[in-house]
Amino acid sequence: MDMRRLIGSNFKRLRQDKGWTQEEFAERSGFSQQYVSGLEGSRRNPTIVTVYELALALGVSHLDLLQPPPLDVKL
C-alpha cells in the first residue's frame, strides 16, 4: 500500500467533509496551499509529526489519516 496515496486520499476526504477548500485549510493551519495540493496529489511524503499537525488542524485523530479504506474502495 502506498502510504503517500493513503494519507493524501484520507486528508482530501476529511478536508472536503469540513467543506474547506485547499486555500481555506491553508489559512486555518499555516500549511501552504502548495503543500496541501502536493499532499493530496501523493507527491509529498509527510513525517509522522506533520501527519499529527495535519490531523490537529482538521480536528481529527492522526489515526484517521492512516486508516486504510474498506476493501471495496480503490484509492
Side-chain angles (χ1 to χ4, degrees):
M1 173 177 300
D2 183 344
M3 288 303 292
R4 289 175 296 194
R5 182 174 286 167
L6 174 64
I7 292 169
S9 175
N10 284 339
F11 175 83
K12 182 176 183 177
R13 177 181 46 78
L14 291 165
R15 176 185 59 75
Q16 290 177 333
D17 286 351
K18 299 270 186 196
W20 296 343
T21 65
Q22 289 181 353
E23 292 81 6
E24 288 170 327
F25 178 81
E27 288 174 13
R28 294 170 185 263
S29 69
F31 286 94
S32 72
Q33 185 274 326
Q34 292 81 8
Y35 184 86
V36 172
S37 176
L39 181 71
E40 291 182 4
S42 304
R43 295 181 305 277
R44 294 285 184 170
N45 191 18
T47 66
I48 192 65
V49 171
T50 300
V51 169
Y52 181 77
E53 291 171 350
L54 290 164
L56 279 178
L58 284 170
V60 300
S61 168
H62 62 285
L63 298 175
D64 292 328
L65 293 173
L66 303 172
Q67 185 67 38
L71 294 176
D72 61 338
V73 174
K74 287 278 233 182
L75 290 180

